[in-house]
Amino acid sequence: EPSFLPKPDKSAVTSETEGTIVVGITVTPEGYVINPWIKSSTTASPELKKAAIEAAKKTRFKVGSTTDKGTTTYKFKSK
């Protein structure tokens, strides 16, 4: 469970670039996300993919005893 979950930068979202991006994450025992990767995406936008990766890197989890892997999902919609 995240202790800090930042929202991604949505400044690059347009009706042509909106979509859902699933980011694979590795969480260290200290709660930091390392080496996030795009697991799946419904958009080809490199700007939105970068925003999702950057948000994932800033996410913090509760301190644990092991390294864990998982995913986090970001939805980008135009206003």
Side-chain angles (χ1 to χ4, degrees), residues 47-62:
E47 293 85 6
L48 295 188
K49 289 178 181 180
K50 180 180 178 189
I53 290 287
E54 291 303 315
K57 285 180 183 177
K58 294 176 185 171
T59 301
R60 297 293 176 259
F61 289 83
K62 294 179 180 174

Side-chain angles (χ1 to χ4, degrees), residues 28-46:
T28 68
E30 296 80 22
Y32 293 97
V33 173
I34 57 171
N35 303 321
W37 69 95
I38 301 296
K39 185 167 180 156
S40 66
S41 177
T42 62
T43 179
S45 169

Side-chain angles (χ1 to χ4, degrees), residues 10-33:
K10 295 187 177 184
S11 62
V13 177
T14 67
S15 60
E16 292 83 33
T17 62
E18 63 183 20
T20 301
I21 300 173
V22 178
V23 178
I25 57 173
T26 301
V27 181
T28 68
E30 296 80 22
Y32 293 97
V33 173

